[in-house]
């Protein structure tokens, strides 16, 4: 299963998230606006990794409604 995790912040403060593939390698970094990341958040909203859930709980990350 592919997951995302909280990664680094850009100089402008934008939070980046890393997609971790099934082989535990990171091949993609994305912002919270990246459509596949938002789709993953919606699909996994009841069982998100702790670091992602902490961002949501702190109001720093929002799960957008599907278009």
């Amino acid at each position: 299963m592919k997951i995302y995790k909280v990664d680094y912040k850009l100089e402008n403060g934008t939070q980046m998230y890393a997609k971790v593939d099934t082989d535990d390698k990171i091949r993609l970094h994305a912002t919270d606006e990246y459509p596949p990341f938002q789709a993953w958040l919606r699909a996994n909203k009841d069982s998100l990794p702790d670091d992602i859930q902490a961002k949501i709980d702190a109001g720093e990350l929002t799960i957008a409604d599907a278009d």
Side-chain angles (χ1 to χ4, degrees), residues 1 38-50 52-53 56-57 63:
M1 177 179 153
Q38 282 292 324
W40 177 84
L41 287 171
R42 285 189 297 275
N44 295 283
K45 66 183 178 183
D46 295 324
S47 60
L48 292 168
D50 291 342
I52 300 285
Q53 188 63 55
I56 291 171
D57 294 344
I63 299 175

Side-chain angles (χ1 to χ4, degrees), residues 3 11 18 20 24 31 37 43 60:
I3 64 164
E11 287 183 13
V20 182
D24 291 328
T31 67
F37 177 54
E60 299 172 10

